[in-house]
Amino acid sequence: ARGRYAEQLERWFARFPREQFLVLRFEDLAREPLVVLNRTLGFLGLPAAQSVRSDARNTRRYAPMSEDTAGRLREYFAPYNQRLEALLGQPMGW
């Protein structure tokens, strides 16, 4: 249930104004940490950063997931991800 983000966000959105939320994708943070940091700082009304240190920490290596398992997970989460995309009005790319 932890990966069914729309269910969790819908509960928060029912209680608090939507404009109080900034939803970010980890993939974007990993790819462009300064852009995501500055988006976050802007959301909070803080000045932009000029740089960010993004050294990898607490990393581990795992065996690759089997394609069968990955396919089953994609199939299971597809409707939940579509619901999340509709809720946020943006594609998640999952």
Side-chain angles (χ1 to χ4, degrees), residues 22 24-30 32-41:
L22 175 64
L24 304 168
R25 291 178 353 121
F26 175 77
E27 295 88 346
D28 297 334
L29 177 63
E32 296 183 289
L34 183 59
V35 170
V36 174
L37 172 62
N38 282 330
R39 184 173 174 206
T40 305
L41 291 171

Side-chain angles (χ1 to χ4, degrees), residues 5-60:
Y5 303 119
E7 294 174 356
Q8 299 168 47
L9 287 173
E10 286 166 344
R11 287 192 292 267
W12 284 102
F13 290 169
R15 301 264 187 246
F16 300 97
R18 201 109 177 239
E19 45 290 336
Q20 290 184 347
F21 293 86
L22 175 64
V23 178
L24 304 168
R25 291 178 353 121
F26 175 77
E27 295 88 346
D28 297 334
L29 177 63
R31 190 179 69 250
E32 296 183 289
L34 183 59
V35 170
V36 174
L37 172 62
N38 282 330
R39 184 173 174 206
T40 305
L41 291 171
F43 179 79
L44 296 172
L46 298 171
Q50 300 304 312
S51 65
V52 62
R53 184 174 169 196
S54 60
D55 302 335
R57 297 181 188 172
N58 300 319
T59 61
R60 294 184 184 161

